[in-house]
Amino acid sequence: MKSDRGGNIHTTAGVMASAIFAPQYFRFCPECLQKDLDKHGETYWHRLHQIQGVIFCPVHKITLQNSQIPIQGFNKHQYEAATESNCQTGDLKLNYSQTAIKQLINLAQDIAQLLENTYTSRTLEWFTKRYQTLLIERGYANVSGRVKQEKLIDDFLYFYDAEFLEIIDSTVAYKDRSNWLSQITRKHRKVFHPIRHLLMIRFLTDSIDTFFHNNKQYRPFGKSPWLCLNAAAEHYLQPVITDLEVTHCLENKKPLGTFSCSCGMVYSRSGEDKTEEDKLRIE
Ligand SMILES: [Zn+2]
Ligand SMILES: [Zn+2]
């Protein structure tokens, strides 16, 4: 933001990459406001409440209200503090379904978690790889990474309430193959709105923590070292092999491991190692 090209910050962050609505006014939660007054004797603008997509207070689970201070169109150099008089609770009521409200609150909680934690900054390539691993693990892509778009869209639209997706401008059009969901599963040549990443993360994992921390690679044959299956070698059935090459069978898409041992033995095995016996297969 401080650089000469700081004006690009919205594009870089993906905020301009979609038409997700921008709030018009600084917003507040009436219950947070009361709590601030009781605790500090004054209130302040809560950072979280100003973020796109945060429509409910994740703590009090009530609709955020508009203050009388517009976000744009007033003197930029003038500071307007939040006060009781410019933060008056209006009659803003949203007629959303219970499911949509629940998912909006979940989203607000995820955004709060992002703000409160310092997750390592990741490149677009990292996200592409992480999504690909998860899509394979969850059965939405075959081992070579080809995404099963229909299954993905079906399950995504089952997982997320249609009204919820509409509110945050992230509807997925089933017929449209250039929809954002299909695009985000491909190589990231473009940026996506952070909300859409959060939708993906919730869909593919149980939490943001899991997504960022459990970065295990796809390992169909488990971890190195692997057993040598050369009956003539002294280290027969010992875990001594560290050289494994994984390719994928074109016909059945199963992983094919080629194990090369220091004793000269090379063997291949297709399909994942699911049991201890699998580790002794040569086929
Ligand atoms: Zn609140
Ligand atoms: Zn060997």
Side-chain angles (χ1 to χ4, degrees):
M1 285 172 83
K2 282 183 186 166
S3 78
D4 289 346
R5 291 175 294 108
N8 287 337
I9 188 70
H10 291 102
T11 317
T12 313
V15 174
M16 298 294 275
S18 79
I20 292 178
F21 61 90
Q24 305 285 305
Y25 294 90
F26 281 93
R27 293 174 300 156
F28 68 100
C29 159
E31 289 195 27
C32 286
L33 179 127
Q34 194 53 52
K35 217 175 85 188
D36 294 341
L37 291 175
D38 293 346
K39 199 174 165 194
H40 311 292
E42 60 181 353
T43 188
Y44 61 97
W45 300 120
H46 288 234
R47 185 173 56 152
L48 176 68
H49 298 163
Q50 315 315 323
I51 293 177
Q52 283 183 343
V54 178
I55 296 171
F56 283 79
C57 169
V59 178
H60 300 107
K61 302 180 167 52
I62 56 174
T63 319
L64 295 181
Q65 304 284 319
N66 284 330
S67 73
Q68 288 165 9
I69 308 299
I71 285 176
Q72 287 186 331
F74 70 100
N75 185 351
K76 276 185 191 174
H77 305 287
Q78 183 184 328
Y79 176 69
E80 292 276 1
T83 62
E84 277 180 276
S85 72
N86 64 26
C87 291
Q88 288 180 15
T89 307
D91 50 4
L92 182 58
K93 289 227 166 56
L94 301 168
N95 279 325
Y96 297 147
S97 70
Q98 283 306 308
T99 317
I101 290 173
K102 195 166 166 262
Q103 296 191 346
L104 283 167
I105 291 170
N106 285 345
L107 178 65
Q109 283 167 343
D110 280 353
I111 294 172
Q113 198 184 331
L114 274 187
L115 284 184
E116 287 157 13
N117 289 273
T118 44
Y119 294 104
T120 314
S121 172
R122 306 289 192 180
T123 60
L124 291 182
E125 290 72 34
W126 185 89
F127 278 90
T128 304
K129 276 213 186 100
R130 186 77 182 105
Y131 285 144
Q132 192 167 61
T133 304
L134 288 164
L135 288 165
I136 292 170
E137 282 177 9
R138 302 287 183 274
Y140 294 112
N142 63 32
V143 284
S144 59
R146 193 182 160 77
V147 179
K148 302 166 186 170
Q149 293 292 348
E150 264 171 41
K151 179 177 160 61
L152 174 69
I153 294 174
D154 272 348
D155 287 7
F156 189 87
L157 294 180
Y158 180 76
F159 187 77
Y160 286 118
D161 180 66
E163 188 186 18
F164 165 70
L165 291 177
E166 209 169 296
I167 295 164
I168 56 165
D169 197 18
S170 293
T171 300
V172 175
Y174 195 79
K175 289 264 155 61
D176 175 15
R177 278 310 162 82
S178 61
N179 67 66
W180 72 264
L181 181 60
S182 299
Q183 286 181 11
I184 205 170
T185 60
R186 297 193 189 112
K187 272 209 174 71
H188 284 21
R189 283 184 208 94
K190 56 179 274 189
V191 289
F192 292 88
H193 195 286
I195 285 179
R196 293 183 174 170
H197 283 290
L198 286 173
L199 293 178
M200 280 297 282
I201 290 170
R202 269 286 167 190
F203 175 67
L204 293 170
T205 68
D206 57 349
S207 73
I208 299 176
D209 273 343
T210 308
F211 183 79
F212 281 105
H213 293 147
N214 187 10
N215 186 21
K216 66 177 187 333
Q217 296 295 309
Y218 173 63
R219 288 198 185 99
F221 300 99
K223 278 188 187 169
S224 165
W226 298 275
L227 308 182
C228 176
L229 302 182
N230 180 0
E234 264 182 39
H235 56 232
Y236 178 52
L237 296 185
Q238 299 293 310
V240 293
I241 299 182
T242 52
D243 183 359
L244 165 67
E245 197 190 328
V246 179
T247 54
H248 293 101
C249 174
L250 275 181
E251 283 86 50
N252 62 16
K253 306 291 179 197
K254 282 183 181 170
L256 179 73
T258 303
F259 303 78
S260 308
C261 188
S262 57
C263 67
M265 193 206 193
V266 178
Y267 66 95
S268 298
R269 169 157 82 235
S270 91
E272 291 181 42
D273 282 357
K274 291 194 175 116
T275 64
E276 287 303 307
E277 285 77 53
D278 279 340
K279 294 180 178 167
L280 303 175
R281 278 192 297 122
I282 303 183
E283 58 188 37

PDB file of all heavy atoms in Angstrom, residues 226-231 233 235-241 261-263 265 267 280:
ATOM      1  N   TRP A 226      10.853 -46.955   1.577  1.00  0.00           N
ATOM      2  CA  TRP A 226       9.974 -48.074   1.231  1.00  0.00           C
ATOM      3  C   TRP A 226      10.743 -49.395   1.282  1.00  0.00           C
ATOM      4  O   TRP A 226      11.988 -49.405   1.277  1.00  0.00           O
ATOM      5  CB  TRP A 226       9.386 -47.836  -0.164  1.00  0.00           C
ATOM      6  CG  TRP A 226       8.541 -46.589  -0.209  1.00  0.00           C
ATOM      7  CD1 TRP A 226       7.215 -46.492   0.124  1.00  0.00           C
ATOM      8  CD2 TRP A 226       8.957 -45.277  -0.571  1.00  0.00           C
ATOM      9  NE1 TRP A 226       6.790 -45.196  -0.002  1.00  0.00           N
ATOM     10  CE2 TRP A 226       7.825 -44.417  -0.434  1.00  0.00           C
ATOM     11  CE3 TRP A 226      10.165 -44.711  -0.993  1.00  0.00           C
ATOM     12  CZ2 TRP A 226       7.876 -43.056  -0.707  1.00  0.00           C
ATOM     13  CZ3 TRP A 226      10.221 -43.345  -1.262  1.00  0.00           C
ATOM     14  CH2 TRP A 226       9.088 -42.534  -1.127  1.00  0.00           C
ATOM     15  N   LEU A 227       9.994 -50.501   1.311  1.00  0.00           N
ATOM     16  CA  LEU A 227      10.624 -51.818   1.466  1.00  0.00           C
ATOM     17  C   LEU A 227      11.323 -52.280   0.186  1.00  0.00           C
ATOM     18  O   LEU A 227      10.796 -52.118  -0.905  1.00  0.00           O
ATOM     19  CB  LEU A 227       9.567 -52.867   1.837  1.00  0.00           C
ATOM     20  CG  LEU A 227       8.668 -52.546   3.033  1.00  0.00           C
ATOM     21  CD1 LEU A 227       7.709 -53.709   3.290  1.00  0.00           C
ATOM     22  CD2 LEU A 227       9.500 -52.235   4.276  1.00  0.00           C
ATOM     23  N   CYS A 228      12.499 -52.887   0.362  1.00  0.00           N
ATOM     24  CA  CYS A 228      13.131 -53.541  -0.773  1.00  0.00           C
ATOM     25  C   CYS A 228      12.524 -54.938  -0.889  1.00  0.00           C
ATOM     26  O   CYS A 228      12.412 -55.653   0.099  1.00  0.00           O
ATOM     27  CB  CYS A 228      14.657 -53.656  -0.580  1.00  0.00           C
ATOM     28  SG  CYS A 228      15.409 -54.568  -1.959  1.00  0.00           S
ATOM     29  N   LEU A 229      12.106 -55.288  -2.088  1.00  0.00           N
ATOM     30  CA  LEU A 229      11.449 -56.586  -2.291  1.00  0.00           C
ATOM     31  C   LEU A 229      12.361 -57.555  -3.050  1.00  0.00           C
ATOM     32  O   LEU A 229      11.902 -58.491  -3.692  1.00  0.00           O
ATOM     33  CB  LEU A 229      10.117 -56.388  -3.031  1.00  0.00           C
ATOM     34  CG  LEU A 229       9.108 -55.457  -2.336  1.00  0.00           C
ATOM     35  CD1 LEU A 229       7.800 -55.378  -3.126  1.00  0.00           C
ATOM     36  CD2 LEU A 229       8.818 -55.887  -0.905  1.00  0.00           C
ATOM     37  N   ASN A 230      13.658 -57.324  -2.949  1.00  0.00           N
ATOM     38  CA  ASN A 230      14.634 -58.190  -3.599  1.00  0.00           C
ATOM     39  C   ASN A 230      15.018 -59.312  -2.628  1.00  0.00           C
ATOM     40  O   ASN A 230      15.800 -59.099  -1.694  1.00  0.00           O
ATOM     41  CB  ASN A 230      15.860 -57.354  -3.991  1.00  0.00           C
ATOM     42  CG  ASN A 230      16.922 -58.199  -4.678  1.00  0.00           C
ATOM     43  OD1 ASN A 230      16.746 -59.402  -4.869  1.00  0.00           O
ATOM     44  ND2 ASN A 230      18.032 -57.561  -5.047  1.00  0.00           N
ATOM     45  N   ALA A 231      14.461 -60.530  -2.878  1.00  0.00           N
ATOM     46  CA  ALA A 231      14.676 -61.655  -1.961  1.00  0.00           C
ATOM     47  C   ALA A 231      16.144 -62.045  -1.859  1.00  0.00           C
ATOM     48  O   ALA A 231      16.571 -62.665  -0.889  1.00  0.00           O
ATOM     49  CB  ALA A 231      13.839 -62.851  -2.398  1.00  0.00           C
ATOM     50  N   ALA A 233      18.593 -59.919  -1.698  1.00  0.00           N
ATOM     51  CA  ALA A 233      19.387 -58.890  -1.005  1.00  0.00           C
ATOM     52  C   ALA A 233      19.348 -59.107   0.508  1.00  0.00           C
ATOM     53  O   ALA A 233      18.380 -59.636   1.048  1.00  0.00           O
ATOM     54  CB  ALA A 233      18.848 -57.509  -1.349  1.00  0.00           C
ATOM     55  N   HIS A 235      19.101 -56.869   2.667  1.00  0.00           N
ATOM     56  CA  HIS A 235      18.103 -55.969   3.286  1.00  0.00           C
ATOM     57  C   HIS A 235      16.678 -56.252   2.788  1.00  0.00           C
ATOM     58  O   HIS A 235      15.835 -55.368   2.803  1.00  0.00           O
ATOM     59  CB  HIS A 235      18.493 -54.498   3.053  1.00  0.00           C
ATOM     60  CG  HIS A 235      18.661 -54.152   1.595  1.00  0.00           C
ATOM     61  ND1 HIS A 235      19.789 -53.545   1.105  1.00  0.00           N
ATOM     62  CD2 HIS A 235      17.854 -54.345   0.528  1.00  0.00           C
ATOM     63  CE1 HIS A 235      19.658 -53.370  -0.202  1.00  0.00           C
ATOM     64  NE2 HIS A 235      18.472 -53.849  -0.569  1.00  0.00           N
ATOM     65  N   TYR A 236      16.415 -57.499   2.381  1.00  0.00           N
ATOM     66  CA  TYR A 236      15.081 -57.919   1.913  1.00  0.00           C
ATOM     67  C   TYR A 236      14.020 -57.543   2.953  1.00  0.00           C
ATOM     68  O   TYR A 236      14.174 -57.817   4.152  1.00  0.00           O
ATOM     69  CB  TYR A 236      15.104 -59.438   1.688  1.00  0.00           C
ATOM     70  CG  TYR A 236      13.778 -60.041   1.238  1.00  0.00           C
ATOM     71  CD1 TYR A 236      13.086 -59.529   0.145  1.00  0.00           C
ATOM     72  CD2 TYR A 236      13.243 -61.145   1.903  1.00  0.00           C
ATOM     73  CE1 TYR A 236      11.899 -60.105  -0.274  1.00  0.00           C
ATOM     74  CE2 TYR A 236      12.045 -61.727   1.489  1.00  0.00           C
ATOM     75  CZ  TYR A 236      11.370 -61.189   0.397  1.00  0.00           C
ATOM     76  OH  TYR A 236      10.192 -61.750  -0.006  1.00  0.00           O
ATOM     77  N   LEU A 237      12.972 -56.894   2.497  1.00  0.00           N
ATOM     78  CA  LEU A 237      11.847 -56.443   3.334  1.00  0.00           C
ATOM     79  C   LEU A 237      12.221 -55.364   4.347  1.00  0.00           C
ATOM     80  O   LEU A 237      11.470 -55.099   5.282  1.00  0.00           O
ATOM     81  CB  LEU A 237      11.171 -57.623   4.043  1.00  0.00           C
ATOM     82  CG  LEU A 237      10.491 -58.660   3.117  1.00  0.00           C
ATOM     83  CD1 LEU A 237       9.760 -59.713   3.940  1.00  0.00           C
ATOM     84  CD2 LEU A 237       9.517 -57.992   2.158  1.00  0.00           C
ATOM     85  N   GLN A 238      13.402 -54.790   4.175  1.00  0.00           N
ATOM     86  CA  GLN A 238      13.776 -53.667   5.043  1.00  0.00           C
ATOM     87  C   GLN A 238      13.403 -52.349   4.354  1.00  0.00           C
ATOM     88  O   GLN A 238      13.464 -52.259   3.123  1.00  0.00           O
ATOM     89  CB  GLN A 238      15.297 -53.659   5.294  1.00  0.00           C
ATOM     90  CG  GLN A 238      15.835 -54.899   5.987  1.00  0.00           C
ATOM     91  CD  GLN A 238      15.332 -55.024   7.411  1.00  0.00           C
ATOM     92  OE1 GLN A 238      15.409 -54.074   8.189  1.00  0.00           O
ATOM     93  NE2 GLN A 238      14.772 -56.178   7.731  1.00  0.00           N
ATOM     94  N   PRO A 239      13.041 -51.330   5.129  1.00  0.00           N
ATOM     95  CA  PRO A 239      12.723 -50.028   4.516  1.00  0.00           C
ATOM     96  C   PRO A 239      14.003 -49.278   4.165  1.00  0.00           C
ATOM     97  O   PRO A 239      14.542 -48.541   4.978  1.00  0.00           O
ATOM     98  CB  PRO A 239      11.939 -49.304   5.616  1.00  0.00           C
ATOM     99  CG  PRO A 239      12.375 -49.936   6.880  1.00  0.00           C
ATOM    100  CD  PRO A 239      12.841 -51.333   6.576  1.00  0.00           C
ATOM    101  N   VAL A 240      14.483 -49.514   2.955  1.00  0.00           N
ATOM    102  CA  VAL A 240      15.765 -48.905   2.548  1.00  0.00           C
ATOM    103  C   VAL A 240      15.644 -48.067   1.278  1.00  0.00           C
ATOM    104  O   VAL A 240      16.562 -47.325   0.932  1.00  0.00           O
ATOM    105  CB  VAL A 240      16.856 -49.970   2.328  1.00  0.00           C
ATOM    106  CG1 VAL A 240      17.233 -50.638   3.655  1.00  0.00           C
ATOM    107  CG2 VAL A 240      16.385 -51.026   1.328  1.00  0.00           C
ATOM    108  N   ILE A 241      14.487 -48.171   0.587  1.00  0.00           N
ATOM    109  CA  ILE A 241      14.368 -47.457  -0.687  1.00  0.00           C
ATOM    110  C   ILE A 241      13.905 -46.013  -0.469  1.00  0.00           C
ATOM    111  O   ILE A 241      12.916 -45.759   0.224  1.00  0.00           O
ATOM    112  CB  ILE A 241      13.380 -48.176  -1.633  1.00  0.00           C
ATOM    113  CG1 ILE A 241      13.883 -49.589  -1.933  1.00  0.00           C
ATOM    114  CG2 ILE A 241      13.162 -47.379  -2.925  1.00  0.00           C
ATOM    115  CD1 ILE A 241      13.014 -50.368  -2.888  1.00  0.00           C
ATOM    116  N   CYS A 261      15.946 -49.455  -5.871  1.00  0.00           N
ATOM    117  CA  CYS A 261      16.768 -49.704  -4.685  1.00  0.00           C
ATOM    118  C   CYS A 261      18.258 -49.623  -5.017  1.00  0.00           C
ATOM    119  O   CYS A 261      18.664 -49.849  -6.157  1.00  0.00           O
ATOM    120  CB  CYS A 261      16.439 -51.072  -4.098  1.00  0.00           C
ATOM    121  SG  CYS A 261      17.242 -51.346  -2.501  1.00  0.00           S
ATOM    122  N   SER A 262      19.068 -49.354  -3.981  1.00  0.00           N
ATOM    123  CA  SER A 262      20.520 -49.258  -4.179  1.00  0.00           C
ATOM    124  C   SER A 262      21.117 -50.605  -4.595  1.00  0.00           C
ATOM    125  O   SER A 262      22.193 -50.658  -5.175  1.00  0.00           O
ATOM    126  CB  SER A 262      21.185 -48.773  -2.883  1.00  0.00           C
ATOM    127  OG  SER A 262      20.845 -49.664  -1.832  1.00  0.00           O
ATOM    128  N   CYS A 263      20.404 -51.719  -4.300  1.00  0.00           N
ATOM    129  CA  CYS A 263      20.905 -53.044  -4.679  1.00  0.00           C
ATOM    130  C   CYS A 263      20.694 -53.315  -6.169  1.00  0.00           C
ATOM    131  O   CYS A 263      21.105 -54.358  -6.679  1.00  0.00           O
ATOM    132  CB  CYS A 263      20.247 -54.139  -3.854  1.00  0.00           C
ATOM    133  SG  CYS A 263      18.481 -54.331  -4.184  1.00  0.00           S
ATOM    134  N   MET A 265      17.629 -53.399  -7.644  1.00  0.00           N
ATOM    135  CA  MET A 265      16.279 -53.833  -7.941  1.00  0.00           C
ATOM    136  C   MET A 265      15.354 -52.651  -8.232  1.00  0.00           C
ATOM    137  O   MET A 265      15.406 -51.637  -7.547  1.00  0.00           O
ATOM    138  CB  MET A 265      15.690 -54.620  -6.776  1.00  0.00           C
ATOM    139  CG  MET A 265      14.420 -55.328  -7.206  1.00  0.00           C
ATOM    140  SD  MET A 265      13.292 -55.640  -5.881  1.00  0.00           S
ATOM    141  CE  MET A 265      12.194 -56.795  -6.698  1.00  0.00           C
ATOM    142  N   TYR A 267      11.232 -52.039  -9.041  1.00  0.00           N
ATOM    143  CA  TYR A 267       9.904 -52.643  -9.215  1.00  0.00           C
ATOM    144  C   TYR A 267       8.825 -51.559  -9.239  1.00  0.00           C
ATOM    145  O   TYR A 267       9.055 -50.436  -8.792  1.00  0.00           O
ATOM    146  CB  TYR A 267       9.604 -53.676  -8.126  1.00  0.00           C
ATOM    147  CG  TYR A 267       9.475 -53.127  -6.724  1.00  0.00           C
ATOM    148  CD1 TYR A 267       8.225 -52.802  -6.201  1.00  0.00           C
ATOM    149  CD2 TYR A 267      10.584 -52.968  -5.914  1.00  0.00           C
ATOM    150  CE1 TYR A 267       8.095 -52.311  -4.907  1.00  0.00           C
ATOM    151  CE2 TYR A 267      10.469 -52.476  -4.627  1.00  0.00           C
ATOM    152  CZ  TYR A 267       9.217 -52.148  -4.124  1.00  0.00           C
ATOM    153  OH  TYR A 267       9.098 -51.662  -2.852  1.00  0.00           O
ATOM    154  N   LEU A 280       3.843 -54.985  -0.068  1.00  0.00           N
ATOM    155  CA  LEU A 280       4.634 -56.135  -0.540  1.00  0.00           C
ATOM    156  C   LEU A 280       4.282 -56.507  -1.981  1.00  0.00           C
ATOM    157  O   LEU A 280       4.799 -57.469  -2.525  1.00  0.00           O
ATOM    158  CB  LEU A 280       4.362 -57.348   0.376  1.00  0.00           C
ATOM    159  CG  LEU A 280       4.658 -57.117   1.856  1.00  0.00           C
ATOM    160  CD1 LEU A 280       4.238 -58.334   2.671  1.00  0.00           C
ATOM    161  CD2 LEU A 280       6.150 -56.825   2.083  1.00  0.00           C
TER     162      LEU A 280
END
